Every structure is written in C-alpha cells, then in structure tokens.
Amino acid sequence: MRLATWQGASPASDLETGLAEAERALAAAAAMGAAALVLPEVWLPGYNQDDIPARALEIDSAPMRRLADSARKTGCALVVGYAQRDGDSVYNAAACFGPDGGLLANYRKVQLYGPRERAIYAPGDAYALFPLAGETAALLICYDVEFAPHVKALADRGATVILNPTANMMPFTHVVRYTVPAMAANHAVTIAYANYCGSEGDLTYVGGSQIVGPHGEVLALAGDHPGLLVAEVPPRDPARLSTQTADLRHVK
C-alpha cells in the first residue's frame, strides 16, 4: 500500500485556494501510485479562523462534492479535514472519499483540544473503520492520536492503517518526533499524519507530517515547508509487530 500526505499553509478561509491545492496534491499523489492522500485538520476553511461556524460545510455541499469528484477522476482516495455543519451543530470532522468518489467514512473528532475547540465544536462519539486498498483503515484527528486507548481500540477492531489530519502547533514538537512513531510501533498500525506548516493567526505550526509503518519506522518525514510525502508501506512482519495487547497484565 502506498500512502500520501500533503503539508501546506492554511487556506485561511479562501475556499477556492483550499480546493485547488487539494486537487493538485491529489493529482500528484495519484500519479505516484498512492492509494490515498491525507490533508490537514479543518483544511476547509482553515483551522485557526475566527468565523468557522459561519463557514462550516455540510457533507453533501458543493465543495465536498467537488473533492469527491476529484477522487473519482484520479482514482485516489482522499481524506480531508473540514468543519462540518449538521443542523445546529458544528463538528471537527474528516471525510474519506474512495477512489470511486463514494463516501467511505465521515469521522468527528472525539478529543477536542483546548477551550477554543470546545467552544466551536461538538465532540464526536464514534470510530470510523472501512476497507481501503486491501487494508482496514480508520480515521483520527490530531489530538485523538495522542491517546493510546483510542489507537488501541482501533487496532483491536482490526485497523491496520490510521489516516490522521492534524493541526499541530508550537510548542508541541514532541508529538511529531516521538508520540506518533511510538503509537504506530506500540499498536502495530501504519499512521499517515498530515499537518500544516507556516503560521495562521496566533499559531505557528510545527510541520513534521509523516508516514510511519506498523513497526514504528518513519517512512517519510516533512520539515517545516510545504510538501507532498509519498511512501510505500512495508508488509506487516509478525516477528516485528508489537505484542503489547496480548501480553498486557492488568494490576489491581
């Protein structure tokens, strides 16, 4: 399985810029044989925007249909983070459109980060797992992947790949350096982690988008500039996969 992540500057509420950049990255990822491309958290309209509730999109809105059509045209699945409007509620969500343009999953962030997110968004309450290119994939968003119980729950349900939009900002460089690879290694899953770079309002993003294999190996790692990562995920080697789930002893 070959995966791709796009690391870019926030579209900053410029919807056309966000859509066009997503389409260019998707076309490039498809040309390089990727099964799926992951974009950052709340790519539409941009993570740190003041008017997110007003700009939140319904899952069947024209911009989302445009991205679904781009996935169909390229034959490459697309995971896009977006602010989802559902009735009176707004969710920090990620949609995965399959290579045929169909909606494979729509996930709502469970672990909202900080007072700002909790003021804007309602929390999600369910995982999303789905078949993708011969693997069982799942979605998490940013802070979610830092919680071992969520990663373990997905692995226990059969997930082998976690596709993870994020908006990780300074000073949390430890997440990209240590946490994400450790989560992949400890739970025997591949993680494709797509972050922003540059600044947006009062936030400076740490970059560090990465694709980490199921044995904890970092297969591709971005710096702090825009870039497309594409990596071939190695076969899962039973001799190297973590056995923590089977070996765990519970102490009263």
Side-chain angles (χ1 to χ4, degrees), residues 1-2 35-36 99 131-136:
M1 184 186 201
R2 189 170 292 181
L132 180 67
E135 302 284 344
T136 299

PDB file of all heavy atoms in Angstrom, residues 1-2 35-36 99 131-136:
ATOM      1  N   MET A   1       0.848  -1.187   0.000  1.00  0.00           N
ATOM      2  CA  MET A   1       0.000   0.000   0.000  1.00  0.00           C
ATOM      3  C   MET A   1       0.884   1.238   0.000  1.00  0.00           C
ATOM      4  O   MET A   1       1.838   1.329   0.765  1.00  0.00           O
ATOM      5  CB  MET A   1      -0.893   0.005   1.245  1.00  0.00           C
ATOM      6  CG  MET A   1      -1.890   1.154   1.281  1.00  0.00           C
ATOM      7  SD  MET A   1      -2.789   1.190   2.848  1.00  0.00           S
ATOM      8  CE  MET A   1      -4.226   2.136   2.387  1.00  0.00           C
ATOM      9  N   ARG A   2       0.557   2.186  -0.843  1.00  0.00           N
ATOM     10  CA  ARG A   2       1.295   3.440  -0.912  1.00  0.00           C
ATOM     11  C   ARG A   2       0.371   4.561  -0.428  1.00  0.00           C
ATOM     12  O   ARG A   2      -0.770   4.686  -0.879  1.00  0.00           O
ATOM     13  CB  ARG A   2       1.759   3.703  -2.344  1.00  0.00           C
ATOM     14  CG  ARG A   2       2.710   4.872  -2.488  1.00  0.00           C
ATOM     15  CD  ARG A   2       3.313   4.912  -3.872  1.00  0.00           C
ATOM     16  NE  ARG A   2       4.209   3.774  -4.085  1.00  0.00           N
ATOM     17  CZ  ARG A   2       4.890   3.548  -5.194  1.00  0.00           C
ATOM     18  NH1 ARG A   2       4.767   4.379  -6.222  1.00  0.00           N
ATOM     19  NH2 ARG A   2       5.680   2.510  -5.306  1.00  0.00           N
ATOM     20  N   ALA A  35      -2.551   5.150  -2.857  1.00  0.00           N
ATOM     21  CA  ALA A  35      -3.927   4.686  -2.690  1.00  0.00           C
ATOM     22  C   ALA A  35      -4.788   5.743  -2.033  1.00  0.00           C
ATOM     23  O   ALA A  35      -6.006   5.766  -2.220  1.00  0.00           O
ATOM     24  CB  ALA A  35      -3.956   3.403  -1.855  1.00  0.00           C
ATOM     25  N   ALA A  36      -4.162   6.610  -1.225  1.00  0.00           N
ATOM     26  CA  ALA A  36      -4.913   7.642  -0.517  1.00  0.00           C
ATOM     27  C   ALA A  36      -4.006   8.820  -0.202  1.00  0.00           C
ATOM     28  O   ALA A  36      -2.809   8.654   0.034  1.00  0.00           O
ATOM     29  CB  ALA A  36      -5.513   7.090   0.773  1.00  0.00           C
ATOM     30  N   PRO A  99     -11.719   5.855  -4.084  1.00  0.00           N
ATOM     31  CA  PRO A  99     -11.253   6.055  -5.454  1.00  0.00           C
ATOM     32  C   PRO A  99     -12.370   6.090  -6.489  1.00  0.00           C
ATOM     33  O   PRO A  99     -12.140   6.502  -7.624  1.00  0.00           O
ATOM     34  CB  PRO A  99     -10.311   4.863  -5.676  1.00  0.00           C
ATOM     35  CG  PRO A  99     -10.737   3.840  -4.679  1.00  0.00           C
ATOM     36  CD  PRO A  99     -11.225   4.600  -3.490  1.00  0.00           C
ATOM     37  N   PRO A 131     -12.791  -0.483   4.654  1.00  0.00           N
ATOM     38  CA  PRO A 131     -11.777  -1.125   3.813  1.00  0.00           C
ATOM     39  C   PRO A 131     -11.162  -0.136   2.845  1.00  0.00           C
ATOM     40  O   PRO A 131     -11.856   0.722   2.287  1.00  0.00           O
ATOM     41  CB  PRO A 131     -12.569  -2.210   3.087  1.00  0.00           C
ATOM     42  CG  PRO A 131     -13.978  -1.714   3.067  1.00  0.00           C
ATOM     43  CD  PRO A 131     -14.160  -0.903   4.316  1.00  0.00           C
ATOM     44  N   LEU A 132      -9.846  -0.243   2.654  1.00  0.00           N
ATOM     45  CA  LEU A 132      -9.140   0.638   1.732  1.00  0.00           C
ATOM     46  C   LEU A 132      -7.919  -0.096   1.190  1.00  0.00           C
ATOM     47  O   LEU A 132      -7.018  -0.441   1.958  1.00  0.00           O
ATOM     48  CB  LEU A 132      -8.718   1.924   2.429  1.00  0.00           C
ATOM     49  CG  LEU A 132      -7.951   2.944   1.575  1.00  0.00           C
ATOM     50  CD1 LEU A 132      -8.865   3.525   0.489  1.00  0.00           C
ATOM     51  CD2 LEU A 132      -7.387   4.069   2.437  1.00  0.00           C
ATOM     52  N   ALA A 133      -7.910  -0.353  -0.091  1.00  0.00           N
ATOM     53  CA  ALA A 133      -6.755  -0.930  -0.787  1.00  0.00           C
ATOM     54  C   ALA A 133      -6.241  -2.197  -0.100  1.00  0.00           C
ATOM     55  O   ALA A 133      -5.044  -2.375   0.069  1.00  0.00           O
ATOM     56  CB  ALA A 133      -5.643   0.106  -0.920  1.00  0.00           C
ATOM     57  N   GLY A 134      -7.162  -3.053   0.322  1.00  0.00           N
ATOM     58  CA  GLY A 134      -6.775  -4.305   0.934  1.00  0.00           C
ATOM     59  C   GLY A 134      -6.448  -4.233   2.406  1.00  0.00           C
ATOM     60  O   GLY A 134      -6.092  -5.242   3.015  1.00  0.00           O
ATOM     61  N   GLU A 135      -6.562  -3.049   3.006  1.00  0.00           N
ATOM     62  CA  GLU A 135      -6.305  -2.875   4.432  1.00  0.00           C
ATOM     63  C   GLU A 135      -7.596  -2.424   5.124  1.00  0.00           C
ATOM     64  O   GLU A 135      -8.571  -2.039   4.474  1.00  0.00           O
ATOM     65  CB  GLU A 135      -5.218  -1.819   4.661  1.00  0.00           C
ATOM     66  CG  GLU A 135      -3.894  -2.119   3.984  1.00  0.00           C
ATOM     67  CD  GLU A 135      -3.093  -3.194   4.699  1.00  0.00           C
ATOM     68  OE1 GLU A 135      -3.399  -3.502   5.873  1.00  0.00           O
ATOM     69  OE2 GLU A 135      -2.159  -3.731   4.076  1.00  0.00           O
ATOM     70  N   THR A 136      -7.578  -2.467   6.445  1.00  0.00           N
ATOM     71  CA  THR A 136      -8.670  -1.883   7.221  1.00  0.00           C
ATOM     72  C   THR A 136      -8.178  -0.543   7.758  1.00  0.00           C
ATOM     73  O   THR A 136      -7.247  -0.496   8.562  1.00  0.00           O
ATOM     74  CB  THR A 136      -9.095  -2.794   8.377  1.00  0.00           C
ATOM     75  OG1 THR A 136      -9.565  -4.041   7.846  1.00  0.00           O
ATOM     76  CG2 THR A 136     -10.216  -2.146   9.184  1.00  0.00           C
TER      77      THR A 136
END
